[in-house]
Amino acid sequence: MYARVDVESARLEWLGLTHRTYYRKMLQRIAGPATSEEFAALKTLADVAEPVKEYTREETALVEATSLTPLNRIVDAVQLESDTARHFSERVDKFLGGSCHDPATTAELRAYLARWSQNDAAFVSLAQKSSLVKEGSATSRDLSALGSAGLAALDAIAAAKPLSAEQQTQLNSILSEAAKPKVQLLLVPVASVQKLVAAASHSQVCGIN
């Protein structure tokens, strides 16, 4: 289904619809006078976030929205479904389905996780310039912690050594915090990283001892 959606989405964009192009423009407005690195950090976060679901957004709003409420926050810009998080999830499933021995998929996962783990520094720099960006600071910290947790899980799998009970507790605490909605944003890759942590915790999943 998603393969067809991607094709149709590209076709509709060619026809002039702005369902894709609006995204970057909204992020640019939120970022303001950002360096390329700072803007990339904002986009990296937004790429893996989604708005809270159903009526939760209305229930968690600090101020009741009206027709005059500006739609200029990160939660207004992010996509309803994160393509990046979906692609990451697909690769995690492929990695685990291959008994964690696919070098190409492992490299892809590490690239995602390393980028997320290092993203907060540039985000913090931009947050000092833009109050609209600053609102997402806690979510940015969660994303960096999530990336580090995923890398720790991959390291344990690569070393064929299950995570200790202490490590499991630490990483699950990170995941639990990252799963909490903040400023009406959800970090979608949490569930996929949870799969990696679970795999690194049990020897039978990836054949580690």
Side-chain angles (χ1 to χ4, degrees), residues 71-166:
L71 300 177
N72 60 356
R73 300 169 58 212
I74 298 175
V75 69
D76 300 315
V78 298
Q79 302 171 40
L80 296 179
E81 287 191 60
S82 167
D83 290 337
T84 300
R86 173 166 54 84
H87 294 156
F88 178 75
S89 176
E90 291 170 352
R91 282 153 181 77
V92 168
D93 290 343
K94 180 180 179 181
F95 174 73
L96 298 178
S99 298
C100 314
H101 297 311
D102 184 342
T105 305
T106 302
E108 287 185 89
L109 293 177
R110 284 193 175 277
Y112 276 110
L113 294 166
R115 181 164 64 250
W116 297 343
S117 69
Q118 299 165 9
N119 195 64
D120 191 51
F123 191 94
V124 167
S125 176
L126 181 57
Q128 295 173 350
K129 305 176 184 178
S130 168
S131 60
L132 295 175
V133 174
K134 187 176 182 179
E135 183 184 46
S137 294
T139 307
S140 178
R141 290 193 296 271
D142 284 345
L143 179 61
S144 288
L146 187 67
S148 296
L151 289 172
L154 288 182
D155 287 343
I157 292 170
K161 183 178 180 180
L163 295 168
S164 67
E166 182 180 356

Side-chain angles (χ1 to χ4, degrees), residues 39-50:
F39 180 78
L42 173 61
K43 188 174 183 298
T44 294
L45 176 65
D47 281 349
V48 295
E50 293 177 4

